[in-house]
Amino acid sequence: MLFEQLPLDIAMEPPATLETFVAGDNAEALACLQRMQQNSDPQLAYLWGESGVGKTHLAVAMGLIDDDVPDFDPERLRYAVDDVDTLSESGLDRLFALINEVRLHPQCTLVMTGKKSPAEEFVRPDIRTRLAWGAVFHIKPLNAEIWPVLLKQAAERGISVTPEAEQWMRNYLPRDIKTLSHVLSAMDRELLAKKRAAVTVPLLKKWLQKKASQPETA
């Protein structure tokens, strides 16, 4: 029996930098983070919004290393904490200490993200108050801007998306750039294995069926 060639996992997601973030309606937030990178003003920023809008992308661009709350390091200038609404009590204690330390060092910055506005009572009051000490932005999802970006990513990979496949993705896939970029990355690998250059509706459906049939890993 002949087996389909397994491609190497060489397809890369766009790097999480401020330059690769598609701003859409979030131009003011992006400009603020650029100022933070350049001159540490403001020192603190809180970005909130639903999943898939790019908050983690921005957090990585602004210093996020892992899912834990980092300890303050005098040698480090950029800090970020993702999903503050999911932190444990000990995590919130470390975040409280980190905010206070960053404020004492004018050259340092801290970006925090969450799903809720600081006006909502979703976290204990001492943290919620501090989330509003700096700039606060509601990160909004992309709308029409998402499709030119996705097609540009495809072109940069050397592949194309047929008009029928684009319409199918518009109709049936979540409309957030992170999910769609992951799908495009998977399509790139599928096309590499099949020695093809165009994403089609049958290819999308076959891949999604295969993915759905795979057992979840713990």
Side-chain angles (χ1 to χ4, degrees), residues 74-113:
E75 300 298 317
R76 182 176 173 182
L77 298 180
R78 303 288 175 255
Y79 297 86
V81 177
D82 207 17
D83 296 324
V84 300
D85 42 312
T86 67
L87 295 178
S88 64
E89 279 300 312
S90 62
L92 292 174
D93 288 340
R94 294 196 302 275
L95 179 59
F96 181 91
L98 180 61
I99 293 171
N100 291 337
E101 284 288 352
V102 166
R103 289 263 295 186
L104 292 174
H105 295 78
Q107 76 277 17
C108 295
T109 63
L110 169 60
V111 171
M112 299 159 283
T113 79

Side-chain angles (χ1 to χ4, degrees), residues 24-102:
D25 292 332
N26 303 300
E28 186 178 355
L30 180 61
C32 177
L33 296 180
Q34 290 169 335
R35 291 195 304 273
M36 290 179 75
Q37 278 192 342
Q38 293 164 4
N39 55 31
S40 303
D41 181 32
Q43 281 186 272
L44 303 176
Y46 175 63
L47 313 176
W48 66 277
E50 61 190 72
S51 298
V53 296
K55 302 188 303 296
T56 299
H57 180 120
L58 293 172
V60 171
M62 294 301 293
L64 181 69
I65 296 176
D66 52 43
D67 294 333
D68 202 6
V69 180
D71 294 324
F72 183 79
D73 180 350
E75 300 298 317
R76 182 176 173 182
L77 298 180
R78 303 288 175 255
Y79 297 86
V81 177
D82 207 17
D83 296 324
V84 300
D85 42 312
T86 67
L87 295 178
S88 64
E89 279 300 312
S90 62
L92 292 174
D93 288 340
R94 294 196 302 275
L95 179 59
F96 181 91
L98 180 61
I99 293 171
N100 291 337
E101 284 288 352
V102 166

Side-chain angles (χ1 to χ4, degrees), residues 11-12 49 62 99 129 149 201 212:
M12 300 295 291
M62 294 301 293
I99 293 171
T129 299
V149 170
V201 173

Side-chain angles (χ1 to χ4, degrees), residues 84-85 87 92 120-129 131:
V84 300
D85 42 312
L87 295 178
L92 292 174
E120 301 181 60
E121 296 181 2
F122 73 97
V123 71
R124 70 192 202 198
D126 59 336
I127 298 294
R128 191 157 51 89
T129 299
L131 293 178

